[in-house]
Amino acid sequence: MMERKSIMIIHPDEQARRKMHSILSHFDFQLTYANDGLHGIYGAKEVSPDLLITCIDIAVLDGLDMVSMLRNEKTTQHIKTIFLHSELNLDYIRTARNLEASAFLIKPYLDNTLIYAIKKALGESDLSVNKQRRALTYDECKTQHLAEIGYA
């Protein structure tokens, strides 16, 4: 049986987080969320996800700076990253490449594009569909994560 992978989604818009949750909850991932760069750093240090999916335009600390800080920490430097942005910005793409990003997706992206990027980032030849567990709702995942990092 494959090890259950964890994904942290860092996005300022709750509706976007809910949409990603609705896509990814069909697969056997442990999902956690943050809405800004500071909570993203704190959460990544606490949860140590296999993959971060982050917007570049997030509050407090933008996604590029946040990932740069995580790359400088021994405990978080291994975390794979997918960046999301609303426009094709070559400087951002170059910086993301220097940060060894697995993908750079331009919004709006297709659901299967996100799934393919995750599959590629995690090196999964076949994503496991969640058959044994009841998929947690977005609100359950959010509450569980807040409890894990001491905010609930």
Side-chain angles (χ1 to χ4, degrees):
M1 180 161 191
M2 287 180 17
E3 178 185 328
R4 191 172 184 212
K5 300 288 185 174
S6 62
I7 298 175
M8 179 174 226
I9 297 168
I10 306 161
H11 200 292
D13 179 45
E14 184 169 11
Q15 286 306 106
R17 291 192 305 267
R18 285 182 183 276
K19 182 179 188 302
M20 281 189 261
H21 179 88
S22 71
I23 297 165
L24 301 180
S25 65
H26 298 289
F27 299 95
D28 197 20
F29 295 122
Q30 180 179 343
L31 301 170
T32 55
Y33 302 91
N35 62 354
D36 64 46
L38 186 59
H39 287 105
I41 285 179
Y42 187 66
K45 287 180 179 181
E46 290 296 314
V47 177
S48 191
D50 296 297
L51 175 65
L52 286 176
I53 300 174
T54 183
C55 274
I56 290 177
D57 296 326
I58 52 178
V60 184
L61 189 63
D62 77 38
L64 294 167
D65 290 338
M66 178 192 66
V67 171
S68 180
M69 291 176 77
L70 291 170
R71 290 287 184 263
N72 289 323
E73 300 257 347
K74 189 169 180 77
T75 58
T76 56
Q77 65 187 8
H78 69 282
I79 300 172
K80 305 285 186 203
T81 306
I82 295 173
F83 286 104
L84 307 174
H85 197 261
S86 58
E87 61 186 50
L88 180 63
N89 181 310
L90 296 179
D91 290 332
Y92 287 168
I93 292 171
R94 196 172 303 114
T95 302
R97 185 178 298 142
N98 290 338
L99 291 170
E100 299 177 3
S102 298
F104 188 102
L105 302 180
I106 299 167
K107 299 182 281 184
Y109 48 83
L110 300 173
D111 296 354
N112 62 345
T113 304
L114 177 63
I115 292 167
Y116 176 78
I118 291 168
K119 188 175 174 178
K120 182 178 175 233
L122 295 175
E124 301 289 323
S125 59
D126 184 32
L127 293 179
S128 298
V129 174
N130 182 358
K131 292 179 183 173
Q132 277 104 10
R133 296 181 185 92
R134 177 185 70 82
L136 296 177
T137 66
Y138 170 79
D139 292 320
E140 288 170 328
C141 285
K142 187 174 160 186
T143 302
Q144 179 181 19
H145 174 67
L146 290 174
E148 287 174 4
I149 63 173
Y151 278 111

